[in-house]
């Protein structure tokens, strides 16, 4: 007892040392002023974190530690929370204390499958030899311009069918801004009858039942990959108590896919009208359009034209808001996209519950692909039968096929659903490139598997490819020839999945990495690769991991001669 008493007496009268600043990284007053100047009167709400990170990145070319700390203070978030979101996305360059910021120019060269076929590896090597320390050259995943391979991006400017000398010339000119193509603006679209169907809906000339019945009769399905019937989806979401929201997926990061970009850069108002009709029919109060960062021209076009739509009073029933991705393929998965719209890391959610019931901000959410919405005004104008009767081989409707690879005329091909790859090549693409003969093809992008030339007569549509271990997905068709090694093709696709895995679940994170390591060997261990594919398919949380093994399985099955 005396000991305790003595100790207490010794400390009486002594003051505890106090900190002059809070614990943790201190906020630089200059950085705080700079961030406040960028944000101005913009909301500091939590879901705008990624948008505000873009503002800083665009202004300074990187995200410094001091700016991240200032943004955290301004948004009343922990610095850890801001850092973990910024570090998740590939297009944010975080510069820590005492690190050197990236060079003045960043060149991204696409090394996904269509660009690799067109010489992307050689282009990367040539740029490394010809550029100096003022230029950073990076290999990058698909940029959605596969019909113009090889493709590079200098700042926000894309260079199609490019060479090292053209890229260097763009740098010398400081030519880094997005090129806006000619497109049908609001005046042009309205002059040709645009928004008439929306007005019919808003004025009561068309009822909700009229519209959903037309969609059901047309057979319109989700054209982003899943193929769920559109009219049925509207009824499901509309059956849940509001407020209801919409999330539009324009994050087509699947290698070989570029149809949504094509439509948004040419006829954006057909998409916008379809979106507004969907919002009216389902009772949507707020629609978020999630556009991948690799589409700067699309972002500018939509920003401009949506403002015109608002000014014209066409969107009074639904708030329209664009959200910009930041370089994460996983955000093409609907629940990961929703997480990103909420300003978080793009990690897929476990399901159920499904986003139709518990989606954005916990509300019932209608999730749609761009092309699906694009077709709605057409169907309501010309009738369900006109759309449905367009198919071939007992299929219904039109499909937009993104065709690239070893054909003479790649691009977006509007063709009857159910057309064969042979029909696409000969009737729409001008045939194979000179000196090339068909060896195989991706019917549905990187995750859709690989089919051999002997199966060139299969209808390209939902439900026709699954028995062969493939699927149509987003209808990204990449053509391979007798000059291509299918082992190399599969390796390229698996490297993409490895790099784009969000890392949340072990089967995908580890499985894709181990698969690439095994595929880099001269002789594939097909038995072990098969086990890995089964594990990824059965145990991964989302479609990325579940479909990542498809290229491996189909190459082993259909191209055994390339494995020797």
């Amino acid at each position: 007892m005396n000991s305790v008493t003595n100790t207490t007496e010794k400390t009486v009268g002594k003051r505890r040392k106090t900190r002059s600043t809070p614990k943790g990284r201190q906020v630089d007053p200059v950085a705080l002023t700079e961030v406040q100047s960028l944000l101005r009167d913009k909301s500091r709400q939590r879901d705008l974190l990624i948008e505000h990170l873009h503002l800083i990145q665009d202004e300074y070319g990187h995200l410094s530690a001091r700016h991240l700390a200032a943004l955290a203070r301004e948004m009343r978030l922990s610095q850890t929370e801001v850092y973990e979101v910024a570090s998740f996305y590939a297009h944010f360059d975080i510069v820590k204390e005492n690190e050197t910021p990236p060079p003045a120019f960043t060149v991204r060269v696409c090394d996904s499958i269509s660009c690799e076929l067109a010489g992307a590896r050689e282009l990367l090597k040539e740029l490394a030899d010809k550029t100096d320390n003022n230029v950073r050259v990076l290999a990058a995943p698909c940029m959605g311009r596969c019909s113009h391979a090889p493709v590079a991006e200098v700042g926000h400017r894309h260079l199609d069918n490019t060479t090292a000398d053209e890229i260097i010339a763009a740098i010398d000119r400081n030519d880094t801004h997005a090129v806006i193509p000619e497109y049908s603006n609001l005046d042009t679209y309205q002059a040709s009858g645009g928004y008439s169907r929306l007005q019919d809906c808003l004025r009561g000339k068309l009822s909700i039942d009229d519209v959903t019945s037309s969609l059901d009769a047309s057979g319109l399905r989700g054209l982003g990959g899943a193929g769920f019937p559109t009219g049925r989806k509207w009824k499901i979401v509309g059956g849940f108590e509001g407020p209801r929201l919409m999330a539009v997926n324009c994050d087509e990061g699947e290698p070989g896919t570029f149809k949504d970009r094509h439509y948004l850069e040419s006829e954006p108002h057909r998409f916008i009208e379809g979106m507004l009709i969907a919002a009216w029919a389902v009772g949507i109060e707020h629609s978020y359009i999630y556009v991948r960062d690799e589409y700067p021209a699309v972002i500018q076009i939509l920003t401009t034209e949506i403002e015109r739509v608002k000014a014209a009073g066409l969107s009074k029933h639904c708030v329209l808001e664009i959200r910009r991705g930041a370089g994460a393929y996983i955000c093409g998965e609907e629940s990961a996209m929703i997480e990103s719209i909420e300003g978080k890391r793009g990690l897929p959610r476990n399901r159920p519950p499904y986003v139709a019931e518990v989606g954005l901000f916990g509300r019932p959410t209608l999730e749609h692909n761009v092309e699906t919405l694009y077709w709605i005004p057409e169907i309501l104008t010309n009738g369900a039968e006109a759309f449905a009767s367009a198919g071939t081989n007992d299929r219904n409707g039109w499909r937009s096929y993104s065709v690239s690879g070893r054909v003479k005329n790649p691009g977006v091909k509007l063709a009857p659903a159910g057309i064969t790859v042979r029909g696409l090549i000969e009737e729409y693409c001008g045939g194979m490139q000179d000196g090339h003969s068909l060896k195989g093809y991706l019917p549905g992008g990187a995750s859709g598997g690989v089919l051999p030339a002997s199966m060139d007569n299969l209808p390209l549509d939902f439900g026709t490819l699954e028995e062969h271990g493939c699927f149509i997905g987003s209808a990204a068709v990449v053509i391979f020839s007798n000059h291509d090694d299918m082992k190399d093709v599969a390796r390229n696709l698996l490297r993409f999945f490895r790099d784009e895995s969000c890392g949340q679940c072990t089967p995908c994170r580890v499985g894709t990495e181990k698969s690439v390591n095994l595929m880099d060997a001269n002789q594939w261990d097909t038995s072990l690769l098969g086990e890995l594919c089964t594990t990824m398919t059965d145990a991964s949380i989302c479609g990325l991991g579940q479909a990542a093994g498809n290229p491996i399985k189909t190459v082993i099955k259909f191209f055994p001669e390339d494995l020797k």
Side-chain angles (χ1 to χ4, degrees):
M1 180 65 70
N2 290 339
S3 172
V4 173
T5 302
N6 292 339
T7 303
T8 303
E9 288 174 352
K10 291 179 182 177
T11 58
V12 170
K14 289 186 178 180
R15 288 185 177 180
R16 292 183 62 187
K17 291 183 178 180
T18 59
R19 299 177 59 90
S20 59
T21 59
K23 290 183 178 181
R25 185 188 301 275
Q26 304 310 304
V27 176
D28 181 346
V30 175
L32 183 60
T33 300
E34 291 170 341
V35 167
Q36 290 171 336
S37 177
L38 286 174
L39 300 187
R40 297 179 184 175
D41 59 351
K42 293 181 172 62
S43 171
R44 271 60 166 175
Q45 65 197 51
R46 171 66 180 77
D47 57 288
L48 289 172
L49 174 57
I50 294 173
E51 294 295 304
H52 295 343
L53 288 169
H54 275 302
L55 288 175
I56 300 171
Q57 172 93 16
D58 289 345
E59 178 69 19
Y60 297 100
H62 63 277
L63 300 174
S64 67
R66 65 192 192 95
H67 282 139
L68 290 177
L71 181 62
R73 167 73 67 82
E74 191 66 14
M75 296 188 72
R76 298 184 177 180
L77 298 172
S78 69
Q79 294 185 30
T80 299
E81 193 171 4
V82 173
Y83 180 83
E84 74 172 6
V85 171
S87 61
F88 180 84
Y89 296 93
H91 286 193
F92 291 139
D93 291 314
I94 298 176
V95 177
K96 299 177 182 178
E97 289 182 355
N98 302 319
E99 283 188 345
T100 303
F105 295 97
T106 295
V107 177
R108 289 182 167 89
V109 176
C110 175
D111 67 350
S112 289
I113 188 61
S114 297
C115 284
E116 181 171 300
L117 295 179
R121 288 186 189 179
E122 292 75 14
L123 179 58
L124 281 163
K125 292 176 183 176
E126 188 175 357
L127 282 170
D129 293 337
K130 290 186 174 182
T131 53
D132 55 26
N133 293 333
N134 195 43
V135 179
R136 178 177 57 164
V137 179
L138 302 174
C142 186
M143 299 177 186
R145 310 182 75 85
C146 316
S147 57
H148 302 291
V151 174
E153 186 181 26
V154 181
H156 288 302
R157 181 182 180 86
H158 286 97
L159 299 172
D160 297 335
N161 306 112
T162 194
T163 65
D165 290 340
E166 290 176 348
I167 294 169
I168 292 170
I171 293 171
D172 291 341
R173 296 191 306 269
N174 195 24
D175 196 356
T176 61
H177 297 291
V179 176
I180 308 301
E182 291 187 10
Y183 65 91
S184 174
N185 62 22
L186 178 60
D187 294 338
T188 304
Y189 185 66
Q190 287 187 303
S192 62
Y195 289 105
S196 297
R197 299 292 75 79
L198 174 63
Q199 296 284 19
D200 289 344
C201 294
L202 296 176
R203 293 169 181 168
K205 291 184 178 180
L206 286 173
S207 69
I208 293 174
D209 285 343
D210 292 334
V211 173
T212 54
S213 295
S214 291
L215 295 183
D216 288 340
S218 72
L220 181 66
R221 303 172 69 165
L223 298 174
F228 196 85
T230 302
R232 194 190 309 172
K233 179 183 283 190
W234 288 14
K235 293 170 187 174
I236 291 171
V237 177
F240 293 111
E241 185 177 351
R244 305 178 196 93
L245 306 174
M246 188 189 307
V248 180
N249 193 336
C250 186
D251 193 70
E252 55 176 358
E254 180 85 5
T257 311
F258 47 92
K259 60 185 177 64
D260 290 349
R261 178 188 61 79
H262 168 78
Y263 286 130
L264 291 174
E265 288 184 351
S266 56
E267 297 184 85
H269 285 282
R270 270 186 62 174
F271 154 72
I272 296 172
E273 183 176 12
M275 175 174 55
L276 289 172
I277 291 172
W280 162 82
V282 185
I284 301 296
E285 298 183 2
H286 199 132
S287 181
Y288 295 84
I289 309 156
Y290 189 83
V291 186
R292 65 186 309 214
D293 197 34
E294 291 87 344
Y295 287 178
V298 168
I299 293 171
Q300 290 190 40
I301 290 169
L302 287 179
T303 299
T304 299
E305 297 306 317
I306 285 174
E307 285 303 313
R308 291 175 178 171
V309 166
K310 291 177 182 177
L314 295 167
S315 61
K316 292 180 180 179
H317 60 292
C318 181
V319 177
L320 303 180
E321 186 172 350
I322 298 168
R323 289 295 174 90
R324 179 178 167 190
Y329 166 72
I330 191 62
C331 291
E333 195 275 338
E334 62 177 6
S335 66
M337 174 185 65
I338 284 173
E339 290 287 301
S340 189
I341 292 173
E342 292 181 356
K344 305 171 186 174
R345 294 177 295 166
L347 299 179
R349 298 176 179 177
N350 286 309
R351 290 171 287 186
Y354 295 94
V355 300
E357 181 180 5
V358 182
L360 269 168
F361 310 113
R363 302 308 311 164
T365 300
L366 179 66
E367 190 273 340
H368 262 316
N369 162 263
V370 168
E371 190 193 355
T372 306
L373 297 170
Y374 175 87
W375 282 113
I376 291 171
E378 173 83 9
I379 291 169
L380 297 182
T381 298
N382 297 324
E385 177 59 27
F387 181 85
S389 62
T392 187
N393 292 320
D394 298 322
R395 317 307 294 178
N396 295 323
W398 293 100
R399 287 300 301 265
S400 302
Y401 296 93
S402 305
V403 187
S404 61
R406 305 297 193 180
V407 291
K408 287 183 179 178
N409 302 315
V412 175
K413 309 299 178 181
L414 182 60
I419 192 172
T420 65
V421 74
R422 181 61 67 182
L424 269 180
I425 293 170
E426 295 180 352
E427 298 171 33
Y428 291 85
C429 299
M432 297 289 294
Q433 293 175 357
D434 292 338
H436 292 258
S437 59
L438 179 64
K439 180 176 182 178
Y441 62 102
L442 299 180
S447 58
V450 192
L451 289 171
S454 60
M455 293 184 172
D456 63 356
N457 60 343
L458 295 176
L460 297 177
D461 199 23
F462 299 110
T464 62
L465 307 174
E466 283 78 1
E467 64 179 294
H468 306 291
C470 297
F471 53 79
I472 187 66
S474 58
V477 182
V478 183
I479 306 298
F480 307 114
S481 79
N482 55 312
H483 292 270
D484 300 317
D485 185 331
M486 304 313 288
K487 285 175 65 177
D488 290 339
V489 169
R491 260 194 297 262
N492 178 282
L493 302 178
L494 262 293
R495 286 176 186 143
F496 171 81
F497 290 128
R498 176 198 62 190
D499 295 343
E500 293 299 321
S501 173
C502 73
Q504 180 179 198
C505 69
T506 303
C508 176
R509 181 184 66 250
V510 176
T512 52
E513 181 179 0
K514 296 299 183 184
S515 294
V516 171
N517 292 341
L518 287 169
M519 295 167 79
D520 282 338
N522 291 329
Q523 187 69 37
W524 283 11
D525 185 337
T526 56
S527 177
L528 186 53
L529 280 168
E531 290 182 25
L532 273 173
C533 292
T534 299
T535 300
M536 288 190 288
T537 301
D538 292 346
S540 294
I541 290 174
C542 80
L544 188 156
Q546 293 164 8
N550 287 343
I552 300 173
K553 292 185 289 187
T554 49
V555 165
I556 291 173
K557 181 178 180 180
F558 295 121
F559 301 93
E561 67 280 3
D562 282 16
L563 303 183
K564 298 177 182 178

